[in-house]
Amino acid sequence: MSHMEILKASGFGEAELGGGTLSVATPVDGSEIAKLSEHSVAEANAMIDKAHDAFLKWRTVPAPRRGEYVRLLGEELRREKDNLGALVTLECGKILQEGLGEVQEMIDICDFAVGLSRQLYGLTIASERPGHSMRETWHPMGVCGVITAFNFPVAPWCWNAALALVCGDPVIWKPSEKTPLTALAVQKICERVSAQFGDDAPDGLTQVLVGERELGEAMTAHKKVAIISATGSVPMGRAVAADMSKRLGKTILELGGNNAMIVAPSADLEMALRAIVFSAVGTAGQRCTTLRRLIVHEDVYDALVPRLIKAYEGLPIGDPLADGTLVGPLIDDQALRAMDAALEKAKSEGGTVHGGGQALSDSHGAAAYANPAIVEMPSQSEIMHHETFAPILYVVKYKTLEQAIEMQNEVPQGLSSCIFSTDVRETELFLSAAGSDCGIANVNIGPSGAEIGGAFGGEKDTGGGRESGSDAWKAYMRRQTNTVNYSRELPLAQGIKFDF
Amino acid sequence: MSHMEILKASGFGEAELGGGTLSVATPVDGSEIAKLSEHSVAEANAMIDKAHDAFLKWRTVPAPRRGEYVRLLGEELRREKDNLGALVTLECGKILQEGLGEVQEMIDICDFAVGLSRQLYGLTIASERPGHSMRETWHPMGVCGVITAFNFPVAPWCWNAALALVCGDPVIWKPSEKTPLTALAVQKICERVSAQFGDDAPDGLTQVLVGERELGEAMTAHKKVAIISATGSVPMGRAVAADMSKRLGKTILELGGNNAMIVAPSADLEMALRAIVFSAVGTAGQRCTTLRRLIVHEDVYDALVPRLIKAYEGLPIGDPLADGTLVGPLIDDQALRAMDAALEKAKSEGGTVHGGGQALSDSHGAAAYANPAIVEMPSQSEIMHHETFAPILYVVKYKTLEQAIEMQNEVPQGLSSCIFSTDVRETELFLSAAGSDCGIANVNIGPSGAEIGGAFGGEKDTGGGRESGSDAWKAYMRRQTNTVNYSRELPLAQGIKFDF
Amino acid sequence: MSHMEILKASGFGEAELGGGTLSVATPVDGSEIAKLSEHSVAEANAMIDKAHDAFLKWRTVPAPRRGEYVRLLGEELRREKDNLGALVTLECGKILQEGLGEVQEMIDICDFAVGLSRQLYGLTIASERPGHSMRETWHPMGVCGVITAFNFPVAPWCWNAALALVCGDPVIWKPSEKTPLTALAVQKICERVSAQFGDDAPDGLTQVLVGERELGEAMTAHKKVAIISATGSVPMGRAVAADMSKRLGKTILELGGNNAMIVAPSADLEMALRAIVFSAVGTAGQRCTTLRRLIVHEDVYDALVPRLIKAYEGLPIGDPLADGTLVGPLIDDQALRAMDAALEKAKSEGGTVHGGGQALSDSHGAAAYANPAIVEMPSQSEIMHHETFAPILYVVKYKTLEQAIEMQNEVPQGLSSCIFSTDVRETELFLSAAGSDCGIANVNIGPSGAEIGGAFGGEKDTGGGRESGSDAWKAYMRRQTNTVNYSRELPLAQGIKFDF
Amino acid sequence: MSHMEILKASGFGEAELGGGTLSVATPVDGSEIAKLSEHSVAEANAMIDKAHDAFLKWRTVPAPRRGEYVRLLGEELRREKDNLGALVTLECGKILQEGLGEVQEMIDICDFAVGLSRQLYGLTIASERPGHSMRETWHPMGVCGVITAFNFPVAPWCWNAALALVCGDPVIWKPSEKTPLTALAVQKICERVSAQFGDDAPDGLTQVLVGERELGEAMTAHKKVAIISATGSVPMGRAVAADMSKRLGKTILELGGNNAMIVAPSADLEMALRAIVFSAVGTAGQRCTTLRRLIVHEDVYDALVPRLIKAYEGLPIGDPLADGTLVGPLIDDQALRAMDAALEKAKSEGGTVHGGGQALSDSHGAAAYANPAIVEMPSQSEIMHHETFAPILYVVKYKTLEQAIEMQNEVPQGLSSCIFSTDVRETELFLSAAGSDCGIANVNIGPSGAEIGGAFGGEKDTGGGRESGSDAWKAYMRRQTNTVNYSRELPLAQGIKFDF
């Protein structure tokens, strides 16, 4: 399909794609594919007010009925999987397999949220007073603002939206200014769902803000946005947290990762090799869960690293829409320059660089294709403490597992981590209180590719938020503790006497 | 017992109580009871480092063993209940019944935490991939800083500490500079417990910072303080949140309340009357859960309010250590002046004030005893949106329950709330998504006096934190999602194919 | 639609419907609609073996993938709702609204089970030993035999099957010999789903046994049937329990109900009236949750009961497929005779009968249409302790709520119960430890019509089983407690020393 | 201490110990230590009635207050640990370390139950109908009968009683007729606790039935015994289940085990060796979790088994009260004869027996001391499918893990199991749906010595019951699902319309 065909398949008309101020380019070849109208801050505020009106209605729609909305959304996404997957690839440059995988994640979380809509379990609790009953209930919280990044243009919205909608919260979405089209395509889907769903779906249940950073700031500033769920860089997250702290608003932060894999002597090296390559070069190294640091036991270093370097050399780089491509472009030229700079710094810190540099420079014009790089480092140097959003994999050696874990935990980020080892004493130690300090810790799989059934997110500079499965839904609701006295007495807790 | 006898019973020697720079007065008569040495910021930082060292050891002590520490703490508190209760009364001025009740709450949460120490349940989760198992585990988080306020000088520390200790986190306590003695008395108890417990209890497991605000700031500034749990005013909470947002640290905020009771036509007015008086004048109106706003249906207003005014007139005000006293002193003269100012403002907004003003001015010297005040307001005016930490109860009328709930929810705080009604249609509406927006909502009991089995805390400006029962313990731990691949294959989630 | 058209719409060919030994009549007019082949016990045993083979495969299919099977089943049921709903009505005689409602319940539980397929949560648990981790996981149990009754011919199967399939257990269904056609129609749907699902769905995942009681006995006798979930009469349940006790197999028993409503003085009598009529005459009184006993406060008796008698007189009785019918036929003539006998007994015990007797005797030939009956009783006599599967509602008076609750609890069955009262002190007492002893207790709704989100089932002679929502799924799995020692030490629990 | 001193330390007077019909011998030397009065069936029935009266009162005592009772019980057990531990050893013959460990388990479960008393969590659940709230609450169930076996004379009672008491259920205890003294000693402790606790503790809260099997049958026959929790042999469990099936009563069955360990090639053989010896000869092989079957990989067989045989030869057998003894006596001569018979059968099935036969025959008179036996078997023969309550360990070889798991699962019992392996692929497979079919499955620890935090119990012939931690407490309560309609409408579930 041509780029225009992909856009049309997602329902975009030509008028919609032109005439605005926000230029959207495809990283596939760097060409502009849309010039979109942007929302003003005033418009954003009006949309938030509308969302809040929607909230007042939506919160009293029974949760299982809200679940039906999300079920219909899941069905519509199933129907649109191919179209939306291709659009994801077109707009953010990840290979089609990953574009489709991202839509599949949207579908999965919808299925999960439907079941959740008949749960949203609070607790009934034993009371210490006769004739009293205690319980705790979770209620809808308010408007949920969702800020997403270019690298996962649609799935994180859906992790948030599927839960938020079931939890009774309307959603306003501020996508990356680099990937607004996928957001608009999803909004079209939501509008079809609302039409199908009927009157219970209030106007403004889901909305998209097209534009730059100030629209995000409009959300953090507005009292009626009860929750901000933000995915992106650590500085962005700090800014959101600071803004929200002024009004004591709730945040769900999914910020940077600097994810490591430990390869132990007992590891199955074949599996490790495959996992490393997918984790490190998938999405051209632009996943928050991308593998960035490889900590290899000295005894298996020579058996693994040369083969890895070799594997890198043969990776098919190119048009992410094309069959067989495994490495697509970076999002833009700035990303490529940042990668170059990081590799330079790594060299200056004693690293030996394999690969790196621009790829396919002739054939793809303005697009920023990069050769994935492996950098052998003498030790965990300064540059390794930073997340560079590019396919750079640093490799260091270790002697003892305790030392490897210490290296793994040394960086400020705390998103994902893994160990390749077949020794249960090592794998369980890695998962223990004295092991990885990340929100995600895996054994014999890479750091990326979480299932939606678990809670997703990380600690430290990663921001502490959790999305997706387990009880992540609680972040979208307010908890209320209730005590009901059904007796004719008025006993006080803790046995206090107060008689007048 | 004399004041000095109370101090001695809690183990204070004379040397300890003098020679320092921090003057501690008892609100009972305004006299100085101690001049304590204060910690410098440098000392605070050293104590934090020590706590972090303790953390590295404590986190690997098995949780049920950590629970044994808390069990011993509970036993010690049982033994010390009378002494510590009296000291609470001496230092913060609440009546002895309430001082003892506060210690009982400490004991209760210890018992609860002991049971918890064999739970700390994460989940095992069904994985979508063959040969994979998923689970989520909760691990110790790090040093927990606890900031408490004068009005509950010991219980909130224990809500936090009992859970934090069981969860594997050492605790550093910054009590109010008005109530450091109770904190030091509790620290003495902890030291006895540590001695009993033996080597597993590392040095620095619990520590107390004596001094002013800059010690709290030392904690928010220090990377090794993973969690700050702060009880106090909204501005304090905002400051903590802003500081912690800079380093993306975790907070548990328990800030101001502006708690209302709705009295419906069907209410049992006898019970309502008793509940109002205890909730409004208990702790001399200085509980965060104190009843501050009474929203009475117009049909029962005349049957209730005059009786209430009458009841206020007969309340025994006086020495909180004395039998029969129900209303003790305010914490200090500043509190009395703030009360006066609020009453003035209320008058200017159309209110009719009953009571108020200084009580017992002759007999108690420098102490700030106040006559509790009832203020009949024509509507919910500006002053009613503020929390004045004093025994002022504003009363307004309502016509429909929807209107009453709207008034209840109109203020910026969201801690506690209640309804007196015998009509289940009203009481359940009040507890529903369209009802009270507070963290606590009760039926036929007042807003104060929560049991430790439920989660305690509130929404909006109250800060969103939860302490005590239910799953409040999760705030003291980090969650880790694990996927273990025990197969010899490497399937990717979401069915992605990536073969090279 | 004609009866034959209804059968054809569900996919039955003529060959299939004839030639067998099991005569199936429609209660609509008593005519025979099929003569089905019956399975022998040998065939049943072979089918169980096949199901067990299916189990060995199905248990290793990841649960979310099993959930996809159930999702497809839900989709297929959505498509077939009208057809299957009509067939339910044709075969068991409930009105079309209720036939459709029953299919909706199937759909609802499928949606719920899909979400569950990414949960099936066990726990991770704090261990008392250093270097040890504890967890509990739920594993597939084995073949699940499902025995259903004529009155809910399809929904209870689906409550069981949706959960069992997600939990990893193949299902063998023994429907009532009075309603095998709906079972076969559902099996056809399952076969379409299996075809769509592909190779992961083993042969024998769902199977139907057509025939009489000995087929149920084949299941209880067979070691490879790990669980029997049986819905039906108390004697049937006792027989199943006795058989299973011989081999210590698991049972889920949903047996008789003898459900009461208490109408308190404060009740909204309009609502009570509507609830009573639906609960008492819906499904012609043949629900296990049918309202059978009405316990009315003496102060409102005269305001309620005469109106109720009047309402009964105007109920449209007739063809359940026809618009406007509210009362369809009893299942067969035997049911009508049992109803007559119960009414006779009630009279002999002092009751005054309103209604009762055969209805529409001319126009409907062999069908057993009954006039619903209200029986005013002087007290709760012997007959009221029995469940007669027919539209008989016994009415008694009460003076105090305690007395009413005692009457409610006096019968051997313990399925469902409710109170109509607007007084929260009454309603909460009814729901308390000293209130209703039933598995279901409602306030201001009738005893029937449970949502699938809650656990369904009852206590005492009702058998103690739970199906549907909450953690009812656990009955279909086996729990395993795991302790993993990842240290190099071997400490014993409880601090035992054992050195050799 | 002399035997009489041990009895006196537990509070027995001489009068109490004589004059009855039930002879109690100590396995230490076979001498009679008491002749107790037995209860008649009529007395048992009266005690059950009394327990039921206690239930009607106890169920309305708030659960945290009931928890206080159990806390006091735990404190009293701490004080009595040495005395009760010695009595356990005297009466059942296990070594003192194990006697003390058993009392520690009682203490642990009390601590756990205290925390539980402020939980007993049910759920609040999202309702599909507007203006409705759903929840599920757990209520006290009724009298709990506890039947225990001689080998754990006190801990299993406490696992049951601590939970049952907190859950609101009085307890009647039928101990083994071989170990009534420990039961009576515990009852004395309970009576002290009741006295301390005050009026809230009704008469008959805990009671002990002294006598034979017919007293157990009195409990299974009596409608007012809501739950029977029985620990013992499979035939006993089947009898209880059959009796209870007649009245559809609840059972918690903890029956026989036939527990295996798989030793894989990667196992730490040092640790395995230690674990095997403790698991196989602890309590002289008379634990339900005793290791009975050792399944060793052929590659490590020769490195392990000869050392094991050697270790057995040096085990100190003798007076269980004496320091240094690791193997005490069997319970009686019949046990010794059963052991001999099993060894004979093993030989006839091709086994090579090491050890076995009577030990210490001279010095210990009537006591039944046995030499622990190891039997090398050519394959898993008939005798290995049976549980012989004696220190016999069968050893077989395996080639593949799948084969080892198949052997492990082949026996009818399903209590406990373990694997020694350091390969996470093996250990996780062993814990998976395709792994061990037991209720307990451990890695790198033996099958015995469960912590109280997990649910204890097994599948298949082991009876399916669960006691102790996790949500085992639910078996002592009844679940109630509540829907409260607080609207003025009466919508039906599943969207059914029913208007008359």
Side-chain angles (χ1 to χ4, degrees), chain B residues 308-333:
Chain B
L308 186 60
I309 293 167
K310 190 118 196 278
Y312 262 54
E313 287 165 1
L315 286 170
I317 306 173
D319 183 339
L321 287 160
D323 266 11
T325 300
L326 291 182
V327 184
L330 293 179
I331 185 66
D332 57 20
D333 199 52

Side-chain angles (χ1 to χ4, degrees), chain D residues 7 51-52 76 127 179 198 227 231 268 277 306 367 380 462 467 478 500:
Chain D
L7 289 164
H52 190 259
E76 205 63 36
S127 167
T179 55
I227 309 153
T231 306
D268 178 326
V277 175
Q380 184 160 280
T462 302
E467 290 170 343
R478 62 184 174 91
F500 58 94

Side-chain angles (χ1 to χ4, degrees), chain C residues 227-274:
Chain C
I227 309 153
I228 295 281
S229 177
T231 305
S233 70
V234 175
M236 181 279 293
R238 284 216 182 89
V240 166
D243 283 359
M244 293 299 274
S245 75
K246 286 176 203 153
R247 56 180 181 97
L248 295 165
K250 277 201 187 182
T251 56
I252 303 168
L253 300 177
E254 302 283 349
L255 311 176
N258 189 354
N259 317 293
M261 178 191 293
I262 296 171
V263 182
S266 66
D268 179 326
L269 295 183
E270 276 309 317
M271 280 173 65
L273 185 70
R274 287 192 56 218

Side-chain angles (χ1 to χ4, degrees), chain A residues 97 127-128 135-136 139 238 246 428 431 439 443 451 455 466 470-471 474 479 481-483 497, chain B residues 97 127-128 135-136 139 238 246 428 431 439 441 443 451 455 466 470-471 474 479 481 483 497:
Chain A
Q97 270 293 317
S127 167
E128 76 188 46
R135 60 182 134 141
E136 119 185 332
H139 289 311
R238 283 216 183 90
K246 286 177 202 154
E428 287 287 321
L431 305 183
V443 172
E451 297 185 23
R466 288 299 185 281
S470 182
D471 68 350
K474 288 182 180 171
R479 179 205 306 249
T481 305
N482 305 132
T483 309
K497 302 285 169 215
Chain B
Q97 271 294 316
S127 167
E128 75 189 45
R135 60 183 134 138
E136 122 185 328
H139 289 312
R238 284 215 182 89
K246 286 177 202 153
E428 288 286 322
L431 305 183
V443 172
E451 297 184 23
R466 288 300 185 282
S470 183
D471 67 352
K474 289 182 179 171
R479 179 206 305 251
T481 305
T483 309
K497 302 284 170 216

Side-chain angles (χ1 to χ4, degrees), chain C residues 439-452:
Chain C
I440 297 171
N442 294 332
V443 172
N444 295 332
I445 53 175
S448 69
E451 297 184 23
I452 62 95

Side-chain angles (χ1 to χ4, degrees), chain D residues 165-177:
Chain D
L165 288 171
V166 156
C167 290
D169 302 339
V171 177
I172 303 194
W173 183 5
K174 162 70 184 72
S176 166
E177 60 273 19

Side-chain angles (χ1 to χ4, degrees), chain B residues 250-267:
Chain B
K250 278 201 187 181
T251 56
I252 303 168
L253 301 177
E254 301 284 348
L255 312 176
N258 189 353
N259 318 292
M261 179 192 290
I262 295 171
V263 182
S266 67

